[in-house]
Amino acid sequence: MLESYVTPILMSYVNRYIKNLKPSDLQLSLWGGDVVLSKLELKLDVLEQELKLPFTFLSGHIHELRIHVPWTKLGSEPVVITINTMECILKLKDGIQDDHESCGSNSTNCSTTENTKSSVKPRRIQQSAPTDPDLPPGYVQSLIRRVVNNVNIVINNLILKYVEDDIVLSVNITSAECYTVGELWDRAFMDISATDLVLRKVINFSDCTVCLDKRNASGKIEFYQDPLLYKCSFRTRLHFTYDNLNSKMPSVIKIHTLVESLKLSITDQQLPMFIRIMQLGIALYYGEIGNFKDGETEDPTCHNKDMLGNITGAEDETRIDMQYPAQYKGQDLYSPQEDEQSQGWVSWAWSFVPAIVSYDDGEEDFLGNDPTSTTHQQKAQTLRDPIVSIGFYCTKATVTFKLTEMQAESSYYSPQKVKSREVLCWEQEGTTVEALMMGEPFFDCQIGFVGCRALCLKGIMGVKDFEENMNRSETEACFFICGENLSMKGLTYLTNSLFDYRSPENNGTRAEFILDAAHHKETYTEIAGMQRFGAFYMDYLYTMENISGKGSANQQDFSSGKSEDMGTVQEKSTKSLVIGPLDFRLDSSAVHRILKMIVCALEHEYEPYSGLKPDIKDENETILNPEEVASLEEYIPTRHTSVTLLKCTFTIFMAEFNLLDHLLPVIMGEKNSSNFLNTTNFQSLRPLPSIQILVDKINLEHSVPMYAEQLVHVVSSLTQPSDNLLHYCYAHCYLKIFGFQAGLTSLDCRGSYCLPVPIIPSFSTALYGKLLKLPMCWTKRSQIAVTEGIFELPNLTIQATRAQTLLLQAIYQSWSHIGNVNSLSVNEALMNEVFQTIGVKSKNPLPTLEGSIQNVELKYCSTSLVKCASGTMGSIKICAKAPGDSGKEKLIPLLQGPSDTKDLHSSKWLNESRKPESLLAPDLIAFTVQVPQYMDYCHNSGAVLLCSVQGVAVNIDPVLYTWLIYQPQKRTSRHVQQQPVIAVPLVMPISRRKDDEVSVGSAPLAKQQSYQASEYASSPIKTKTVTESRPLSIPVKAMLNLSEGCRSPEERMKEFIGVVWNAVKSLTLQLDIQSCCVFVPNDSLPSPSTIVSGDIPGTVRSWYHGQTSMPGMLVLCLPQIKIISAGHKYMEPLQEIPFVIPRPILEEGNAFPWTISLHHFSMYTLFGKQVTLCLVEPMGCTSTLAVTSQKLLATGPDTRHSFVVCLHVDLESLQIKCSNPQVQLLYELTEIVNKVWNKIQRRGNLSPSSAYPETMAGPVPGSPVRSSVGTIPPDTSTCSPSAEVGTTTEGDSIQAGDDSPFSDSVTLEQTTSNIGGASGRISLWMQWVLPKITIKLFAPDPENKGTELCMVSELEDLSASIDVQDVYTKVKCKIESFNIDHYRSRQQQNF
């Protein structure tokens, strides 16, 4: 009786998928209760068509199929289906399918399940047996439901292989069993009852092994790699809740899998293949590879989806939807012909939910009352979507990265073997991946883990740093720690899963689900996520709300291409990631291992899965009407991502060994030079100095429009899009960093850190950037910004003693001197100086320099025509903290800006009251610069530079010299005494130690006795192989390079001048630099009180009046400079960018002549008892610089310019006074500088001095005239020798101006003499006019005490001109009158 019902069901399934079966044979043996079928071939085309996977089956067969039906006990014993050995081989589908295959996919926007069901239905109805009058239909239905609910499926030895390119991925599961269970998850025969509408099942997988191997061109695998996963067992629990007994589909489905221990192993050869498989998953996921119709190409928008989603394992709006793929796939909303596009993988998976779950749907269809009833799908549409919860839980996971090497066996003929050694290991505890979905409107995925760490193992690149015999502790091996311990945290990662005994399902109640976005966000906050997991938490939420209420979203027809329907559905996608407290230690071992992994990942390049189509714009673009635009204004779907890192510690150690020259070239895209390395024994260096960086919180937010392509097409076609619409056409990114601080620390041999020495105290900063999507669509709108960025830094302070900077330099050099296997030894005295023992006072503490800048704001913007930047810097202060006499610190200000330097050019200010610096002082620097994108673009206005710099006061105090000339002393080191026996290597070869003392942090010695590796790596053999492997065309290039290298500096300079001239000739320039006042005392000048602290002129003034023992001081007041180009009217230096200037200089125009004016240059000296003596009275000059140029037709490939340079300088009269004490003071100051300079040079270490240029400008030699020439910054002399004079001259005159009115002539003469005729013709005409020079020399009269002698010389009406042409040079000088007078002063009377 029952056979007539059950048999057709089983038969229809078996017959559908298996080839060459005779139904009659099967039926007979089924009635006997057991069927055994051997060597079965699967119907591959049916499988492909029904599964709609993007793979084709190369082969598929079942070794043995057993079906056991207990006919006599069908109501109490399960039907058992056993498959012994099933093997399938798959490969990726080609881009275009065959005709017969595309029949299943030619209407992609109706559900896949609908196709599956309807194609199968008719056959099943024909097979159905007639309804038997003796069995009531209700009984049959319930019995069949019981049978189906309790089917046991056992698969022994399941083998799946996937082949692609040179990759072979095989999955082998020894046994998998699925059976029904009771409330306590034990095997039982269960059915749904009216009181308990729940069905539970368990699937156990035992011994799952995954292998990933490389095959050669002929398809053979030469060497088998270690398996990725070896004999891993896991169990899955399924829980179905039904609304009532007659429900065809469960209302809630939970599928949760638990793995106790997951051990992955990846070798260097598997890594590129593993990445490739991950990319395959992502590409499938995004629907980049899918079911294409004939000639249909990939979806062009897949690349716009943000990459962050890929890792989530469940991103995207392509998800679960067939009814309107146009909208979900991000196709052009306004072009209906593109509807039938490939689908994402998730939508495919979703379509199978009913098929997997409801075993009984189909049967009810044809056993029910009406055999011709509507198909399943139409019924299903009226049903609610089930809530599906999928979870994966893993107690402990480890990933080990191994390096392989070939090993030949002892005999010649035996095959090579691959030997692998572990180098890196990642351990993770308490991992959870949970996804919750309900139809299309709601999808949520949460990923988290409780703790993780990364360890170094064995050796790397021939350095045996963590071999077993090294006896190094696990804490040293561990370089990354994040989160907490599972033993501390408990089983929070299993909360509410089917494996949690406290979960509602395990306590007989119905689970509650949050399916509303607002409620979800309130519940699953970052804090809640961090409490449940400790290390990492990610929540990805996608919702789609139907606002209009015109009906459910399903009935909206998105394929019509109307945008009115768009307004009814609001989509949102948010991802938030939180990373818990982490500690990241970058020492040599860790850095080399991480970079080695990157190198291995780059070793094999595969073709990308989806080629980007060129963006073809439709000519006939849809123009939207105002209502459609208004609905678009209301809501635009976006994707928002936020990443938060809490409490990070980064420690960068000094490199103990450095072989980066083998890794960096590969990462930078060059070929590897040589792979051979000698193995060396590693010796750890202790104490090991390091830089430690702490960050309280880093927050990154990113938002991007969901359907960028359509949105941009629409908005760019509007004549005046609103700001709101434009805002959504950009991808936005905000980065905020809170509480960033850095310091120096050192690791001792016990593995503990000493107290950090602060270098950068805590500060915060923020960065914002936006990028226009699809800039090609905006080419007609030149004013729209393509990129924009804003940087804000409220304040930043850096403080360090000289010893600390030397140690920082040593750490930097240990990493930058590549190829050095031996570690740089660290001078012990230096270490003692930086890390002082607590409670021990050092005899002579070092001064600390502290510099701070405040309120930095920078803005950058680029459009299709111009690039521009503007910014301000509020203030800058540098001061020194030096040990005082009474043990107190004294504060010595060294540089301060902005400072009011208007009146400092004459000594009157010393006797007037001085206002303290107000908070409303203008910004120290404000600038705006705008440069055209293409220099040769003819309709473009030229570049613009507006800049203003406020006054700066500089105090060159002797404390600066003591800071500069510090040198670590040789002392007995207390570190050495503490050292245990292990770390003997600290005691270096003696010769080397001495050398190191001499040049702290300078390059290590070339020859070291102990390790030969670095020399071997750079032996002659290497160079030979490189040259041999070059293609033939290279030598020609090489010769060219040689000739380039031989070009004289003059040639290069000429080229440079040509470039600079092109940039400068149409530059609108407005430069306004206030006076800079330099104080040079011959003794330290601490700030006497806190009120004036920081204000240098204030400090000087209070010393001048208050203290009797005022040190001698030279005051040098540099001129204030104004340069303005022709025809330009003054503008505010800070402009909104991009901006338009009222009179732009076009390409053919010329920005010359420049007007350069310098004012208030003076020098005077201050002595104790309020004595002020003047050296150079305040003076200034005005000059005009004009440059014109013509291009000459040159014989060579490059055109030459011919220049005409005119410079006219009008000087104010100059008065110089000099007396004995002044000469003495100048001599003292010069001597101090000289000594310091010699000491620094003797040490052979010039780098630090360059950081502090003020010290070098220093006090100047006796004569003021010489001094002003002498202090020209070094650039001018170096730049000038090449100039095609046009440019340098202008350049020089600016720089010269900085220091003194006299320098122009010198630089111009140098320039002209050096250039010669080769660079094209140069004509130079210069003229300067000086009304009067007065020089007064004072001295006490040796004969009469109390009287003074004075000698005065005067020159009047001086003028000079130089005229340099190709054929002649003419110099004219003119002095109207010259006289010398001699005066004597009588007591208490004038001269």
Side-chain angles (χ1 to χ4, degrees):
M1 298 282 274
L2 272 172
E3 290 87 331
S4 55
Y5 290 102
V6 177
T7 311
I9 299 170
L10 287 168
M11 291 239 340
S12 65
Y13 272 109
V14 173
N15 207 8
R16 204 149 106 220
Y17 298 114
I18 289 171
K19 279 186 188 169
N20 311 333
L21 267 189
K22 287 186 186 161
S24 52
D25 300 354
L26 184 62
Q27 211 156 339
L28 281 170
S29 47
L30 248 181
W31 289 354
D34 279 290
V35 184
V36 179
L37 303 167
S38 305
K39 298 198 171 141
L40 305 173
E41 290 288 320
L42 293 170
K43 290 184 181 172
L44 302 176
D45 50 343
V46 177
L47 277 173
E48 277 173 37
Q49 200 171 321
E50 296 215 344
L51 291 173
K52 284 208 190 298
L53 283 167
F55 302 109
T56 44
F57 285 87
L58 294 175
S59 72
H61 51 264
I62 292 174
H63 195 263
E64 184 182 71
L65 171 68
R66 288 175 177 267
I67 302 173
H68 167 72
V69 185
W71 292 114
T72 53
K73 299 178 184 169
L74 262 183
S76 59
E77 268 190 32
V79 171
V80 181
I81 298 172
T82 309
I83 297 173
N84 292 323
T85 309
M86 174 175 171
E87 186 173 1
C88 294
I89 300 179
L90 301 103
K91 81 183 229 330
L92 203 58
K93 263 185 193 164
D94 302 328
I96 297 168
Q97 297 177 323
D98 303 322
D99 284 335
H100 71 88
E101 279 185 16
S102 68
C103 61
S105 66
N106 59 11
S107 67
T108 353
N109 58 338
C110 69
S111 160
T112 27
T113 19
E114 191 176 343
N115 279 338
T116 314
K117 297 280 178 201
S118 52
S119 62
V120 175
K121 287 280 149 63
R123 194 188 318 150
R124 287 159 78 183
I125 291 167
Q126 288 154 14
Q127 289 171 357
S128 69
T131 343
D132 198 294
D134 295 353
L135 288 169
Y139 170 71
V140 174
Q141 281 192 0
S142 66
L143 182 63
I144 286 179
R145 190 177 56 217
R146 282 180 77 104
V147 170
V148 171
N149 283 345
N150 285 282
V151 170
N152 277 12
I153 300 172
V154 180
I155 302 180
N156 294 317
N157 201 14
L158 169 65
I159 300 161
L160 293 174
K161 278 190 180 170
Y162 168 73
V163 291
E164 180 205 335
D165 223 326
D166 60 351
I167 299 173
V168 180
L169 173 72
S170 58
V171 180
N172 191 327
I173 297 173
T174 309
S175 73
E177 185 179 8
C178 172
Y179 53 87
T180 308
V181 290
E183 278 190 14
L184 298 172
W185 302 96
D186 298 326
R187 195 187 289 264
F189 192 91
M190 301 295 289
D191 195 13
I192 306 170
S193 63
T195 51
D196 188 18
L197 295 164
V198 167
L199 185 67
R200 297 179 178 84
K201 284 182 177 287
V202 163
I203 308 176
N204 283 335
F205 296 92
S206 59
D207 290 356
C208 170
T209 300
V210 181
C211 296
L212 187 58
D213 293 296
K214 215 182 189 75
R215 56 178 188 166
N216 58 19
S218 58
K220 288 219 173 73
I221 296 172
E222 291 174 15
F223 317 106
Y224 284 97
Q225 304 282 337
D226 295 359
L228 274 184
L229 184 64
Y230 184 65
K231 290 200 172 175
C232 172
S233 300
F234 45 97
R235 55 185 202 272
T236 302
R237 291 180 175 180
L238 296 88
H239 187 282
F240 307 110
T241 311
Y242 293 86
D243 280 342
N244 55 42
L245 278 176
N246 299 322
S247 301
K248 296 186 177 183
M249 277 196 55
S251 56
V252 181
I253 302 166
K254 273 194 161 191
I255 305 171
H256 290 177
T257 302
L258 176 68
V259 184
E260 287 295 339
S261 160
L262 189 70
K263 292 184 175 170
L264 287 171
S265 136
I266 299 179
T267 66
D268 51 356
Q269 293 182 6
Q270 286 171 331
L271 188 63
M273 299 192 280
F274 183 73
I275 292 171
R276 175 67 167 177
I277 300 280
M278 302 275 279
Q279 286 169 343
L280 170 68
I282 291 161
L284 283 177
Y285 181 78
Y286 277 132
E288 291 169 10
I289 312 170
N291 309 328
F292 307 129
K293 298 192 330 199
D294 295 329
E296 193 179 274
T297 44
E298 286 109 337
D299 166 12
T301 53
C302 52
H303 291 268
N304 302 338
K305 306 201 169 108
D306 50 343
M307 286 310 285
L308 259 165
N310 314 349
I311 34 176
T312 69
E315 147 73 331
D316 207 68
E317 292 49 63
T318 56
R319 142 166 328 101
I320 34 186
D321 195 50
M322 306 336 91
Q323 261 82 18
Y324 22 107
Q327 195 190 351
Y328 283 114
K329 277 314 295 156
Q331 285 317 319
D332 196 332
L333 287 168
Y334 312 106
S335 58
Q337 72 275 11
E338 278 190 81
D339 273 358
E340 298 180 1
Q341 279 282 356
S342 58
Q343 298 164 314
W345 170 78
V346 179
S347 34
W348 167 81
W350 179 256
S351 68
F352 269 84
V353 168
I356 301 166
V357 176
S358 46
Y359 304 102
D360 48 357
D361 295 349
E363 288 72 7
E364 291 193 22
D365 268 350
F366 65 80
L367 292 166
N369 309 331
D370 179 12
T372 58
S373 67
T374 49
T375 57
H376 156 78
Q377 185 66 23
Q378 286 164 313
K379 280 188 184 175
Q381 278 211 318
T382 58
L383 296 174
R384 223 159 51 80
D385 283 311
I387 296 169
V388 181
S389 160
I390 297 172
F392 170 81
Y393 306 91
C394 175
T395 312
K396 181 157 188 182
T398 61
V399 182
T400 309
F401 177 64
K402 302 175 177 176
L403 292 180
T404 53
E405 48 198 50
M406 308 305 294
Q407 237 181 3
E409 287 296 295
S410 49
S411 76
Y412 179 73
Y413 293 104
S414 56
Q416 281 190 309
K417 275 193 176 174
V418 174
K419 181 187 166 201
S420 60
R421 28 182 309 144
E422 305 146 0
V423 293
L424 195 66
C425 173
W426 172 273
E427 295 176 359
Q428 192 168 302
E429 290 189 308
T431 309
T432 300
V433 180
E434 290 175 330
L436 175 67
M437 49 188 137
M438 191 183 79
E440 297 100 29
F442 185 89
F443 177 87
D444 175 58
C445 174
Q446 297 188 15
I447 298 177
F449 48 84
V450 173
C452 66
R453 58 184 204 148
L455 303 156
C456 298
L457 306 170
K458 308 279 184 177
I460 180 94
M461 300 177 71
V463 180
K464 298 180 175 176
D465 49 355
F466 283 99
E467 291 290 352
E468 282 81 1
N469 57 6
M470 290 290 297
N471 299 330
R472 295 185 72 182
S473 65
E474 201 171 84
T475 47
E476 284 184 283
C478 179
F479 65 87
F480 180 86
I481 302 177
C482 181
E484 303 175 45
N485 231 335
L486 209 53
S487 51
M488 313 264 290
K489 196 80 172 165
L491 298 177
T492 49
Y493 73 104
L494 289 174
T495 304
N496 277 345
S497 73
L498 296 176
F499 297 96
D500 177 16
Y501 65 91
R502 296 161 301 184
S503 72
E505 288 86 358
N506 288 338
N507 291 293
T509 55
R510 261 193 102 143
E512 294 291 318
F513 294 99
I514 297 172
L515 298 167
D516 161 48
H519 189 191
H520 178 93
K521 281 181 185 161
E522 282 168 26
T523 314
Y524 298 107
T525 57
E526 294 183 353
I527 298 165
M530 275 289 112
Q531 279 170 351
R532 180 177 171 192
F533 308 103
F536 174 82
Y537 170 67
M538 189 203 88
D539 180 38
Y540 165 73
L541 176 68
Y542 166 77
T543 55
M544 183 174 73
E545 290 174 30
N546 187 17
I547 308 302
S548 65
K550 288 185 215 160
S552 76
N554 292 355
Q555 284 148 15
Q556 294 293 332
D557 178 18
F558 278 94
S559 54
S560 66
K562 295 266 169 42
S563 66
E564 285 95 358
D565 305 333
M566 265 283 294
T568 62
V569 168
Q570 295 195 354
E571 294 176 80
K572 263 198 193 108
S573 155
T574 52
K575 270 193 292 294
S576 61
L577 290 88
V578 195
I579 297 164
L582 62 91
D583 184 359
F584 194 11
R585 302 172 29 159
L586 285 169
D587 52 10
S588 290
S589 303
V591 169
H592 283 80
R593 282 169 170 80
I594 293 166
L595 291 179
K596 183 69 182 171
M597 272 188 74
I598 295 170
V599 166
C600 295
L602 294 173
E603 244 162 35
H604 193 302
E605 288 289 316
Y606 291 96
E607 282 291 305
Y609 277 116
S610 48
L612 254 178
K613 288 196 305 184
D615 186 41
I616 303 159
K617 272 185 81 171
D618 298 340
E619 288 306 309
N620 48 353
E621 272 194 2
T622 346
I623 303 299
L624 294 189
N625 62 35
E627 297 92 71
E628 292 170 326
V629 175
S631 74
L632 201 58
E633 287 268 3
E634 270 172 42
Y635 190 83
I636 294 173
T638 54
R639 267 197 210 109
H640 187 264
T641 306
S642 116
V643 183
T644 309
L645 277 84
L646 307 167
K647 290 260 181 267
C648 314
T649 309
F650 302 97
T651 313
I652 301 159
F653 289 93
M654 187 175 201
E656 294 175 272
F657 58 93
N658 185 346
L659 301 167
L660 297 181
D661 54 333
H662 294 273
L663 300 172
L664 290 177
V666 184
I667 294 171
M668 302 311 287
E670 302 155 25
K671 280 304 322 141
N672 200 350
S673 50
S674 77
N675 263 330
F676 185 83
L677 289 169
N678 265 356
T679 50
T680 56
N681 285 324
F682 171 79
Q683 296 170 324
S684 60
L685 175 69
R686 294 287 180 274
L688 186 63
S690 62
I691 302 166
Q692 196 167 54
I693 297 169
L694 304 172
V695 187
D696 277 348
K697 184 177 169 187
I698 299 175
N699 186 29
L700 173 70
E701 289 188 19
H702 180 262
S703 69
V704 64
M706 213 175 261
Y707 307 114
E709 196 160 309
Q710 306 84 275
L711 182 70
V712 168
H713 278 305
V714 172
V715 177
S716 60
S717 65
L718 298 175
T719 45
Q720 275 193 316
S722 68
D723 286 350
N724 182 38
L725 284 179
L726 272 177
H727 176 86
Y728 282 103
C729 290
Y730 288 88
H732 301 266
C733 193
Y734 298 85
L735 173 68
K736 297 177 190 134
I737 297 175
F738 301 98
F740 180 103
Q741 50 186 314
L744 279 168
T745 178
S746 86
L747 183 66
D748 62 24
C749 44
R750 294 189 302 279
S752 58
Y753 293 101
C754 69
L755 214 63
V757 179
I759 299 288
I760 302 176
S762 176
F763 75 92
S764 301
T765 178
L767 186 65
Y768 162 75
K770 65 178 189 179
L771 180 67
L772 187 64
K773 301 300 270 179
L774 300 163
M776 303 80 79
C777 301
W778 301 92
T779 43
K780 294 169 192 160
R781 306 281 182 85
S782 58
Q783 77 283 6
I784 284 182
V786 180
T787 53
E788 201 172 289
I790 298 170
F791 171 70
E792 285 177 13
L793 179 66
N795 69 326
L796 167 66
T797 306
I798 299 178
Q799 53 188 34
T801 63
R802 184 73 184 111
Q804 289 162 10
T805 59
L806 287 173
L807 191 59
L808 283 170
Q809 195 177 325
I811 293 174
Y812 167 73
Q813 284 183 338
S814 72
W815 285 105
S816 61
H817 284 135
I818 289 182
N820 165 38
V821 182
N822 207 349
S823 50
L824 283 161
S825 73
V826 183
N827 186 325
E828 291 146 23
L830 186 62
M831 292 289 282
N832 290 353
E833 192 58 68
V834 176
F835 306 110
Q836 289 172 356
T837 321
I838 304 160
V840 177
K841 271 202 168 182
S842 58
K843 293 172 212 154
N844 41 357
L846 299 175
T848 306
L849 277 197
E850 182 178 298
S852 73
I853 54 173
Q854 281 172 340
N855 302 336
V856 176
E857 277 187 39
L858 299 175
K859 190 173 174 188
Y860 171 80
C861 166
S862 76
T863 68
S864 56
L865 296 178
V866 293
K867 289 185 282 207
C868 34
S870 71
T872 57
M873 182 166 90
S875 68
I876 181 166
K877 286 189 178 164
I878 297 177
C879 65
K881 290 177 182 166
D885 314 322
S886 55
K888 264 193 195 166
E889 264 195 349
K890 52 182 186 178
L891 197 73
I892 301 162
L894 296 177
L895 183 144
Q896 171 218 349
S899 171
D900 184 8
T901 54
K902 282 196 194 75
D903 314 324
L904 301 187
H905 55 85
S906 72
S907 54
K908 282 184 202 151
W909 65 277
L910 285 164
N911 300 317
E912 291 163 4
S913 66
R914 184 170 168 78
K915 289 197 294 284
E917 284 298 318
S918 76
L919 294 171
L920 304 170
D923 290 319
L924 173 65
I925 297 172
F927 74 92
T928 306
V929 60
Q930 182 165 304
V931 182
Q933 290 273 18
Y934 314 104
M935 276 297 186
D936 47 358
Y937 187 49
C938 49
H939 307 298
N940 206 341
S941 65
V944 185
L945 169 62
L946 313 173
C947 179
S948 79
V949 181
Q950 297 302 314
V952 176
V954 181
N955 170 27
I956 300 178
D957 197 277
V959 73
L960 198 58
Y961 307 144
T962 50
W963 190 90
L964 273 174
I965 61 176
Y966 162 78
Q967 203 167 344
Q969 300 304 314
K970 261 198 165 177
R971 293 189 220 152
T972 52
S973 160
R974 51 168 203 282
H975 290 275
V976 169
Q977 295 155 5
Q978 296 172 356
Q979 294 254 312
V981 192
I982 313 165
V984 177
L986 227 184
V987 189
M988 293 289 178
I990 299 203
S991 59
R992 186 154 173 258
R993 268 275 277 302
K994 277 198 186 126
D995 244 288
D996 237 75
E997 306 283 51
V998 176
S999 60
V1000 177
S1002 64
L1005 297 177
K1007 289 197 175 152
Q1008 298 157 2
Q1009 308 104 6
S1010 47
Y1011 313 126
Q1012 298 298 311
S1014 55
E1015 282 153 47
Y1016 185 88
S1018 57
S1019 64
I1021 305 165
K1022 184 166 94 178
T1023 48
K1024 185 176 160 198
T1025 49
V1026 173
T1027 43
E1028 276 175 1
S1029 60
R1030 274 206 189 121
L1032 287 171
S1033 60
I1034 296 283
V1036 185
K1037 255 191 191 168
M1039 285 172 69
L1040 280 173
N1041 286 348
L1042 263 173
S1043 62
E1044 254 178 55
C1046 299
R1047 286 187 317 161
S1048 65
E1050 273 183 40
E1051 283 288 316
R1052 273 195 228 123
M1053 209 58 196
K1054 281 169 200 163
E1055 198 176 294
F1056 172 69
I1057 292 297
V1059 173
V1060 174
W1061 166 246
N1062 281 336
V1064 171
K1065 66 182 173 189
S1066 54
L1067 168 71
T1068 302
L1069 180 68
Q1070 172 192 310
L1071 195 62
D1072 188 356
I1073 300 175
Q1074 293 299 322
S1075 174
C1076 166
C1077 191
V1078 183
F1079 296 92
V1080 190
N1082 64 0
D1083 195 1
S1084 219
L1085 201 72
S1087 191
S1089 71
T1090 48
I1091 302 163
V1092 289
S1093 79
D1095 183 38
I1096 295 172
T1099 306
V1100 171
R1101 191 171 162 277
S1102 63
W1103 272 87
Y1104 181 74
H1105 286 293
Q1107 272 75 1
T1108 45
S1109 59
M1110 159 114 184
M1113 180 181 298
L1114 171 71
V1115 182
L1116 175 67
C1117 194
L1118 300 177
Q1120 67 185 59
I1121 303 168
K1122 280 188 182 168
I1123 302 178
I1124 203 155
S1125 58
H1128 173 68
K1129 285 207 172 73
Y1130 182 81
M1131 294 171 76
E1132 274 302 312
L1134 195 66
Q1135 295 284 332
E1136 272 298 310
I1137 52 175
F1139 66 102
V1140 179
I1141 47 172
R1143 291 188 51 190
I1145 295 160
L1146 297 173
E1147 185 71 12
E1148 58 276 1
N1150 197 333
F1152 290 94
W1154 285 1
T1155 308
I1156 304 168
S1157 58
L1158 314 178
H1159 290 296
H1160 303 317
F1161 169 78
S1162 69
M1163 288 167 75
Y1164 51 93
T1165 50
L1166 308 179
F1167 295 97
K1169 302 183 184 148
Q1170 301 187 15
V1171 176
T1172 313
L1173 299 175
C1174 198
L1175 263 172
V1176 178
E1177 290 283 345
M1179 65 159 303
C1181 77
T1182 330
S1183 49
T1184 309
L1185 173 72
V1187 182
T1188 53
S1189 125
Q1190 273 109 27
K1191 279 189 181 170
L1192 297 177
L1193 289 173
T1195 45
D1198 49 65
T1199 53
R1200 300 286 189 200
H1201 289 274
S1202 77
F1203 288 103
V1204 180
V1205 181
C1206 302
L1207 175 69
H1208 177 83
V1209 184
D1210 262 336
L1211 293 146
E1212 293 170 7
S1213 55
L1214 171 67
Q1215 196 169 357
I1216 298 168
K1217 301 176 178 175
C1218 192
S1219 66
N1220 270 6
Q1222 289 175 307
V1223 174
Q1224 208 170 329
L1225 175 68
L1226 289 176
Y1227 174 73
E1228 280 172 26
L1229 294 174
T1230 317
E1231 200 175 26
I1232 294 173
V1233 172
N1234 219 11
K1235 275 184 188 161
V1236 172
W1237 180 250
N1238 289 342
K1239 267 193 189 168
I1240 292 173
Q1241 275 192 322
R1242 212 171 32 249
R1243 200 170 66 200
N1245 194 357
L1246 276 170
S1247 51
S1249 57
S1250 60
Y1252 290 88
E1254 316 108 61
T1255 58
M1256 296 304 106
V1260 285
S1263 138
V1265 183
R1266 269 173 56 220
S1267 80
S1268 53
V1269 179
T1271 47
I1272 299 168
D1275 321 340
T1276 44
S1277 53
T1278 49
C1279 284
S1280 41
S1282 68
E1284 305 198 354
V1285 153
T1287 29
T1288 19
T1289 7
E1290 330 134 10
D1292 284 342
S1293 59
I1294 301 170
Q1295 284 162 331
D1298 279 358
D1299 272 274
S1300 98
F1302 295 97
S1303 43
D1304 304 67
S1305 59
V1306 181
T1307 47
L1308 280 165
E1309 282 165 333
Q1310 289 172 343
T1311 323
T1312 39
S1313 64
N1314 276 325
I1315 285 169
S1319 62
R1321 301 198 193 84
I1322 288 191
S1323 315
L1324 175 67
W1325 182 82
M1326 295 194 316
Q1327 181 187 36
W1328 60 101
V1329 179
L1330 176 62
K1332 186 175 182 180
I1333 298 181
T1334 312
I1335 300 172
K1336 295 185 178 179
L1337 304 175
F1338 297 90
D1341 188 349
E1343 292 149 18
N1344 309 331
K1345 277 207 169 162
T1347 60
E1348 223 175 10
L1349 301 176
C1350 170
M1351 191 174 82
V1352 180
S1353 65
E1354 285 182 354
L1355 292 87
E1356 285 185 14
D1357 282 350
L1358 290 87
S1359 66
S1361 69
I1362 295 180
D1363 187 359
V1364 180
Q1365 299 292 339
D1366 269 3
V1367 282
Y1368 69 85
T1369 301
K1370 185 166 83 178
V1371 180
K1372 266 168 81 178
C1373 292
K1374 189 181 98 181
I1375 300 175
E1376 285 276 314
S1377 68
F1378 171 61
N1379 58 317
I1380 297 181
D1381 300 322
H1382 183 259
Y1383 298 92
R1384 175 186 280 117
S1385 76
R1386 301 199 172 82
Q1387 274 121 341
Q1388 284 84 41
Q1389 282 179 30
N1390 291 336
F1391 288 93

